[in-house]
Amino acid sequence: LEAKEEFTHRTLAMDVMRPRRCDPPLTCFTQDGMKVEDVETIISETTYSGFPVVVSKESQRLVGFVLRRDLIISIESGRKRQDGIVSTSLIYFTEHCPVQPPNSPAPLKLRSVLDLCPFTVTDHTPMEIVVDIFRKLGLRQCLVTHNGRLLGIVTKKDILKHIAQMANQDPDSIMFN
Ligand code: ADP
C-alpha cells in the first residue's frame, strides 16, 4: 500500500469507510444475547471477513473484532464436541457467562477468538495517517468510531479502491498538489 500523501491528507477516514451514507448499517454482533442460529444466518448472508462486536445495539460501544473464519471454526467445533451446543444456544463474547436457566441449551463462549484490541481511528482522522498505520502495522482492516461509538470499517481494499477512484476522477490533484 503506497502512501499517496498528495491527496490523502485532504481525505478523512469518514470519506473512505463503509457503510456509505445510504448503505445498510455495519453488520456487527452484540457481546451477549445472540443465538448460534442468528450468527450462522449472518455468516451465510454476508461475505465479510470479520465483524465488530459491541456492548449493545444502543450503545454501539466496541468490545472487539471477530474474524469470520474463527467464528465458523468455533461454532462447528462447538456443535461437534461440546455437549448441548445447538442452534438456540446463546453466544457470549463476554468475560463471564451468566448461569443459564434450567433446561436452556449450553452457551457457546467465544471470548477466546475475539480480538480485544482492534485498530481504531476516529472518523476525522486524515487518511494519510490511516494509510501510514496500515503500512506500518500490516493491517487488513481498521474500525472507525465517533465519540466512542462504532461507526464504520475501512479495509485495505477500500483504501486501494479509493486511491484508484481518485486517480480516475482528478489525476492532476494527485500528480501536482
Ligand atoms: P475486502 O475489502 O478485502 O473485500 P471484506 O470482504 O471484509 O474485505 O469487506 C468487503 C466490503 O464490506 C468492504 O468495503 C468493507 O469496508 C465492508 N465491510 C467489511 N466488514 C463489514 C461489516 N461487518 N459490515 C459492513 N460492511 C463491512
Side-chain angles (χ1 to χ4, degrees), residues 18 25-27 47-52 153-155 157-158 161:
R18 301 298 193 273
L26 200 63
T27 304
T47 57
Y48 305 131
S49 315
F51 305 89
I153 186 167
V154 177
T155 67
K157 258 193 215 166
D158 290 331
K161 271 189 228 160

Side-chain angles (χ1 to χ4, degrees), residues 23-78:
D23 288 347
L26 200 63
T27 304
C28 53
F29 301 138
T30 50
Q31 65 177 353
D32 52 25
M34 293 189 77
K35 292 185 185 135
V36 166
E37 61 192 4
D38 303 332
V39 170
E40 283 175 332
T41 303
I42 292 171
I43 289 172
S44 68
E45 287 176 354
T46 64
T47 57
Y48 305 131
S49 315
F51 305 89
V53 176
V54 292
V55 172
S56 63
K57 288 269 179 233
E58 299 73 40
S59 75
Q60 286 295 306
R61 204 153 62 78
L62 187 66
V63 177
F65 189 78
V66 63
L67 289 177
R68 174 195 193 79
R69 61 158 191 267
D70 291 339
L71 269 179
I72 293 172
I73 292 169
S74 304
I75 292 177
E76 220 174 74
S77 71

